[in-house]
Amino acid sequence: MGTIFFELALTLYFAGFLLSIAGIVRKKDDLDKAVFFLSLIGFCLHTFYLFIRYIKSGQAPVFSMHEANSYFAWCILLISLIIRLKYKTKVLNFGVILVFSFMFVSAFFPREIPFIKPELKSLWIDIHALMAVFGIALFSLAFVFSVLYLVQEKAIKAKKFGGFGNILPSLEILDKINFRLIFWGFPIYTTALIVGLVKYLSLLGFLFDPKEIWSFLTWIVYLSIFYLRVKEDWRKKKAAYLTIFAFLLVIFGFFGINLLTESFHKPL
């Protein structure tokens, strides 16, 4: 079912991953264009793969661990490419590393179309799932830029000009991108939760599901970040630390809740 597109995309991401690691180790951005074109071609192939799965299954390609990790990687790369084009920053290699990591994990899970109960096959469930993962992808990249912000700040304070300073943008740009990722991620994630909750209640009524509870806790943390970031008096460094903490909650919800608990949302 379009597996060749997945394999080709994974291969191109791997090549981009190797070049990204080389650029980071060498602390140079001369491989940025090669990483960009490899990522762009891989993204197109990856898009074909997800589209084929959607057409064949009639449901969003996000309901198994293979699909969830694959679509998550696709979202991260889409956002990374937009950042690369909009801000002209040469930090795509950090996004590509994340993309390949999740695609690599995805490759180890069964690729069969997951079975979904008939009552769950609806456009609203698809919208909920796709938006939730896309929101998490935005939060994940906010985490990356928070880490990069702290690395760049430390280098500036230590007066170590050069090094990562050669491949990282200014603190102002890093913080601006971080803010934009949270600014867009929070309403998208919120909408996904509302749509999912309404549909969930109409199907099951008031039941406590581990995924729902953890998602709400995560939402509370990002609500705090969103509020504090909109208030301009919030210190950028503190915002970076809080974003990193929130990301740890997201990752546990994405993997830990799915793998360690019995949840209505558990991918197959």
Side-chain angles (χ1 to χ4, degrees), residues 59-60 63 67 114-121 125-126 268:
Q59 62 195 37
F63 293 110
E67 291 181 340
F115 169 77
I116 296 181
K117 295 178 181 179
E119 60 268 25
L120 295 181
K121 283 197 173 186
I125 292 294
D126 287 351
L268 300 175

Side-chain angles (χ1 to χ4, degrees), residues 146-205:
S146 293
V147 173
L148 296 180
Y149 180 93
L150 295 175
V151 169
Q152 185 74 308
E153 185 197 46
K154 184 177 180 182
I156 292 174
K157 283 187 176 180
K159 297 182 179 180
K160 291 182 179 179
F161 302 105
F164 280 111
N166 291 332
I167 60 175
L168 295 181
S170 66
L171 289 177
E172 181 181 356
I173 294 297
L174 288 170
D175 184 67
K176 184 177 182 179
I177 295 173
N178 190 328
F179 173 76
R180 290 297 179 187
L181 291 167
I182 296 295
F183 182 82
W184 287 106
F186 180 73
I188 289 174
Y189 188 68
T190 300
T191 302
L193 291 186
I194 293 173
V195 171
L197 181 61
V198 171
K199 190 65 178 179
Y200 180 78
L201 292 177
S202 68
L203 291 173
L204 300 177

Side-chain angles (χ1 to χ4, degrees), residues 12-261:
L12 290 171
Y13 292 157
F14 179 59
F17 169 81
L18 293 178
L19 292 181
S20 297
I21 294 294
I24 293 173
V25 171
R26 294 166 61 237
K27 298 181 175 64
K28 294 183 179 181
D29 56 15
D30 54 332
L31 300 174
D32 181 73
K33 286 186 178 180
V35 173
F36 174 75
F37 284 112
L38 286 170
S39 302
L40 187 60
I41 297 171
F43 177 79
C44 292
L45 294 170
H46 196 173
T47 302
F48 285 138
Y49 174 69
L50 294 174
F51 180 73
I52 290 172
R53 287 188 73 93
Y54 176 75
I55 294 299
K56 293 288 186 180
S57 66
Q59 62 195 37
V62 72
F63 293 110
S64 69
M65 288 303 291
H66 167 73
E67 291 181 340
N69 281 278
S70 173
Y71 174 66
F72 184 58
W74 182 88
C75 292
I76 289 176
L77 185 54
L78 173 61
I79 300 164
S80 298
L81 290 171
I82 292 173
I83 291 172
R84 166 70 164 73
L85 294 172
K86 180 175 176 59
Y87 293 96
K88 309 300 180 184
T89 58
K90 297 181 178 180
V91 292
L92 178 63
N93 44 9
F94 294 98
V96 171
I97 291 172
L98 204 58
V99 168
F100 173 72
S101 299
F102 281 98
M103 281 290 281
F104 184 73
V105 171
S106 175
F108 284 93
F109 286 100
R111 303 182 189 182
E112 293 80 9
I113 295 296
F115 169 77
I116 296 181
K117 295 178 181 179
E119 60 268 25
L120 295 181
K121 283 197 173 186
S122 73
L123 178 62
W124 289 111
I125 292 294
D126 287 351
I127 291 174
H128 160 68
L130 293 173
M131 290 187 69
V133 176
F134 193 81
I136 290 172
L138 286 163
F139 292 154
S140 300
L141 283 173
F143 159 79
V144 171
F145 279 92
S146 293
V147 173
L148 296 180
Y149 180 93
L150 295 175
V151 169
Q152 185 74 308
E153 185 197 46
K154 184 177 180 182
I156 292 174
K157 283 187 176 180
K159 297 182 179 180
K160 291 182 179 179
F161 302 105
F164 280 111
N166 291 332
I167 60 175
L168 295 181
S170 66
L171 289 177
E172 181 181 356
I173 294 297
L174 288 170
D175 184 67
K176 184 177 182 179
I177 295 173
N178 190 328
F179 173 76
R180 290 297 179 187
L181 291 167
I182 296 295
F183 182 82
W184 287 106
F186 180 73
I188 289 174
Y189 188 68
T190 300
T191 302
L193 291 186
I194 293 173
V195 171
L197 181 61
V198 171
K199 190 65 178 179
Y200 180 78
L201 292 177
S202 68
L203 291 173
L204 300 177
F206 287 93
L207 293 176
F208 290 100
D209 181 83
K211 188 80 170 185
E212 293 286 346
I213 296 172
W214 196 261
S215 296
F216 178 71
L217 293 175
T218 302
W219 180 83
I220 291 293
V221 175
Y222 277 106
L223 172 63
S224 303
I225 297 174
F226 184 78
Y227 172 74
L228 293 170
R229 290 310 313 262
V230 170
K231 288 184 62 178
E232 295 181 359
D233 60 341
W234 180 250
R235 286 186 58 190
K236 299 172 183 178
K237 187 175 181 180
K238 288 183 178 179
Y241 279 121
L242 189 55
T243 301
I244 292 172
F245 170 73
F247 176 73
L248 297 178
L249 296 180
V250 167
I251 288 298
F252 182 77
F254 196 75
F255 287 105
I257 296 294
N258 288 333
L259 297 175
L260 300 178
T261 67

